[in-house]
Each structure stands twice: as C-alpha cells, then as structure tokens.
Amino acid sequence: MKALRYLMVFSVPLTVYISFTSSGWITFLTLIYVFGIVPLADFFLKVDAVNFNKEQEEIEKNNKLYSSILYLTLPTQIFFLVWFLFVIQDTSNTIDLIGRISAMGIMCGVVGINVGHELGHRKNRLEQLLGEILLLTSLETHFLPYHNAGHHFNVATPEDAATAKKNELLYVFWIRSQIMSYIEAWKIENKRLKTSDRTWFHHQNRMIIYTIAHIILLSSIYFFFGLVVMLYFLAAATIGILLLETVNYIEHYGLLRKKNKFGRYERVKHTHSWNSNHVIGKLVLFNLSRHSDHHYNGSKHYQILKSLPESPQMPTGYPGMMLLSLIPPIWFKLMNKKLQEI
C-alpha cells in the first residue's frame, strides 16, 4: 500500500486535463496546483523523515508496483502531449493559450523529465529507453549522458555545470547549466566511443541518435500541425527544461566538495546536496528531494532513498524553494545563511 502514495503524481495530469477542457483562469490550474497548493500544503503538513528499516527496505525494493507506477507515466505523458497538439491548434484566446502551454510545460518537467531521470538511472536497457522517450517529450535527451557520467561525477565542484555557485543568479544558471551540460554530453559520448576505438560519428553515439530523434519529432509536429503549433510545443518544452534547471539550482546551491592534499576532490557525501522531507512535494517528485542519498548511490530506486540527519535541509519543499529562487535577494539571504550553518 505504501507504493500507492506515489500515484499522487497523476494529480498533475488531472489538472492538465481540466486546463485542456476549460477556459479562462482555470486553464492555469496546473500552475496554481504545483506552485500554489502544493507549497502551501507542504508548509502546514508535518515533514516525513521516516526511513524503512533493513527488512522493510528489502521488501519495498523488490515491490514491482513502484516501477509500474513509473511505467504508467509514459503512456500518460505521450497521450497528453498528442492531445496538447490538437487542443492548442484550436486555441485562439490568449489567456487559454498561455494557461494550456504552462500546463503542458509543467507536466513535461514533473512527469517527462523527472521520471525520465529516475528511469535513466536504471541498469535495465528497456527502462533506460522508457526514460529516454520521456525526456524526448521535453527535448532534453542530452540530460542522461551528462547527468549520469558528468553531474554525478563532478557534483558540488566548479567543474559541474549543474551545480549552482554561491551568489549565482538563477537566470544566469539556467543558461550556463543548459549550454554547458549539452556540450559536456557530446564530450562524454565522444570519449566513451574513443575508448572503444570508434569515431564520434558512430551509430552508438547517443547524442547523434538523440539529435535525429529531436529532428524527427519536431519535423512531424511541423508536418502534421504546422509552424505555430510547433512553436507552442517548443514553448512548453522550454518550461519543462527551465523547471529542471531550477531544480538543479536548488539541489546543490553553494555546496562544494573539499580537495585532499593530492588535489583530488573528496568522495561525494550526504552533505553535498540540499534535501527536503516535505510530504506532498516528495511524493509528487518520486522522492527526488531526498537528493543526498540519490547522489550517494545513483542506482538506488526512489522508494528506498533515505533521509539522513547529516544532509542539509531546506526550509520547505522543492516547489516552494523553486519559487523562492526566482527572487534572488530573498534566496541569497535565506540560503547563504544556511550555508554558514553547515
């Protein structure tokens, strides 16, 4: 029964459904829900820092229902994306247009990219493929090579594009992280192929495959729905990407690993990621907010991630912290003070 709690992620598609079938201010329901209702609920509800014991962890680790919930997000995401293309084609009212694009964009971030991230860490190739398809719906497939082989290796160091520096503006970070992670993804794939005596221009270069997939997706939307709808899709995908980068920003803001006497960075510890045990955000994002344990063991399934006392804690859940990051003076005042306390 514990696994069924994570069905809460489908509350997001429910709000998108209402957005697509309504008009006026209600088309912004997804935005209101994710960045209004969820942060408010997290603020008032008691945090949940409880971990499974060893016996429970083994049981829940092997419970296939947790993975089934992840798999179910794929047809849901694809269905809503296709529906979006049809509904946005017939949307003429500016308010409805913005509301529905924002709804699809948030779903791209919460469902497409976040679940794609979880499945992308799995060792099973089929699960990785499902993750790649989910990331494709937000045009963010390069995330996987960089995140797994770059971010997890360089996290909390100046070499990591996805680690926000102290006093770095979110809006600068958006551009730096996205561009540099894309470049690094190509470098990682080129290096991987070079070690097996293959050239970068090889069918096993994932970045080439991803690029072709992006071109096919955008070309198909253009062919069947036209230029305007393709631009609306690009706007929704951009919202999803900005949500990802905002999460990246808050997850490691200002945290740095120390170097030893040999000039090497210390091993990644539970102190190198910001965490949150706020209930609603934790369930909707599949325990993403227990981020320290995720970095300590990237292949660990979301349901058994632990909350540890040495992990630095955010004052509220991820959605609330994302809102605060949009206002740099408030963010710096709050988080720089917490950095001093670590």
Side-chain angles (χ1 to χ4, degrees):
M1 293 299 292
K2 292 181 177 65
L4 297 180
R5 298 176 300 172
Y6 292 96
L7 288 172
M8 184 167 285
V9 70
F10 294 102
S11 61
V12 176
L14 176 61
T15 65
V16 177
Y17 169 82
I18 295 172
S19 173
F20 286 0
T21 56
S22 305
S23 60
W25 71 267
I26 199 68
T27 58
F28 289 90
L29 181 61
T30 308
L31 183 67
I32 295 169
Y33 173 66
V34 173
F35 292 107
I37 297 173
V38 171
L40 196 62
D42 274 340
F43 184 79
F44 286 106
L45 292 176
K46 184 179 179 181
V47 298
D48 177 18
V50 177
N51 298 319
F52 294 129
N53 59 39
K54 288 187 177 180
E55 183 180 342
Q56 290 174 323
E57 183 176 315
E58 193 62 29
I59 294 172
E60 300 304 323
K61 178 183 178 181
N62 296 310
N63 185 345
K64 295 183 179 180
L65 182 55
Y66 288 99
S67 291
S68 297
I69 293 172
L70 294 178
Y71 304 155
L72 190 57
T73 64
L74 178 60
T76 304
Q77 175 73 3
I78 293 175
F79 171 80
F80 273 89
L81 178 57
V82 173
W83 188 15
F84 168 78
L85 298 175
F86 280 101
V87 76
I88 209 70
Q89 184 176 229
D90 297 325
T91 303
S92 56
N93 183 286
T94 303
I95 296 296
D96 295 353
L97 188 66
I98 298 172
R100 289 169 182 170
I101 290 174
S102 71
M104 190 66 238
I106 291 171
M107 188 164 168
C108 282
V110 174
V111 178
I113 296 178
N114 186 47
V115 180
H117 158 256
E118 173 68 23
L119 290 173
H121 273 292
R122 300 291 174 91
K123 296 178 181 179
N124 181 287
R125 182 62 191 117
L126 178 58
E127 290 182 311
Q128 291 175 2
L129 176 61
L130 298 181
E132 289 169 331
I133 296 172
L134 281 166
L135 287 164
L136 176 62
T137 64
S138 298
L139 303 178
E140 188 64 13
T141 45
H142 78 272
F143 171 86
L144 278 188
Y146 178 71
H147 181 82
N148 291 357
H151 174 59
H152 272 259
F153 183 76
N154 292 317
V155 65
T157 73
E159 284 75 29
D160 179 33
T163 295
K165 303 170 185 176
K166 183 180 178 181
N167 293 323
E168 182 176 18
L169 289 169
L170 169 65
Y171 309 104
V172 173
F173 176 82
W174 280 349
I175 299 170
R176 179 178 70 84
S177 178
Q178 187 66 196
I179 292 175
M180 293 307 299
S181 63
Y182 181 80
I183 293 172
E184 289 298 321
W186 275 102
K187 289 181 179 179
I188 288 169
E189 280 299 281
N190 294 347
K191 183 179 179 180
R192 183 178 67 84
L193 291 168
K194 189 175 181 180
T195 58
S196 56
D197 295 323
R198 295 183 176 94
T199 65
W200 71 271
F201 194 69
H202 192 276
H203 70 273
Q204 289 187 1
N205 186 329
R206 289 180 294 175
M207 289 301 293
I208 292 179
I209 302 302
Y210 294 160
T211 300
I212 293 172
H214 284 203
I215 292 172
I216 292 174
L217 175 60
L218 290 173
S219 298
S220 298
I221 294 173
Y222 175 79
F223 180 80
F224 290 107
F225 297 95
L227 176 62
V228 174
V229 172
M230 187 188 77
L231 293 175
Y232 292 156
F233 165 68
L234 286 172
T238 299
I239 291 172
I241 291 169
L242 292 181
L243 290 179
L244 161 68
E245 295 298 359
T246 305
V247 168
N248 280 338
Y249 180 83
I250 68 173
E251 283 175 336
H252 306 284
Y253 172 79
L255 299 174
L256 289 173
R257 286 151 60 191
K258 297 177 182 178
K259 285 186 176 181
N260 60 26
K261 61 181 180 180
F262 303 106
R264 295 179 180 177
Y265 289 107
E266 62 180 324
R267 183 183 177 184
V268 177
K269 299 178 180 178
H270 288 99
T271 54
H272 295 131
S273 303
W274 292 100
N275 287 261
S276 164
N277 286 308
H278 292 77
V279 181
I280 307 300
K282 187 164 68 77
L283 293 177
V284 171
L285 295 174
F286 293 102
N287 267 344
L288 180 68
S289 57
R290 290 190 167 183
H291 208 61
S292 290
D293 202 29
H294 168 68
H295 270 276
Y296 194 73
N297 185 351
S299 62
K300 200 172 188 179
H301 291 193
Y302 73 91
Q303 68 267 26
I304 57 173
L305 291 173
K306 294 181 179 180
S307 173
L308 299 170
E310 61 266 34
S311 301
Q313 298 295 317
M314 294 177 174
T316 188
Y318 267 31
M321 296 306 295
M322 292 169 73
L323 287 175
L324 289 176
S325 70
L326 296 172
I327 313 171
I330 297 177
W331 174 264
F332 293 148
K333 184 176 181 179
L334 176 67
M335 295 306 291
N336 287 356
K337 183 179 179 181
K338 290 191 73 67
L339 280 171
Q340 294 174 355
E341 297 171 357
I342 298 176

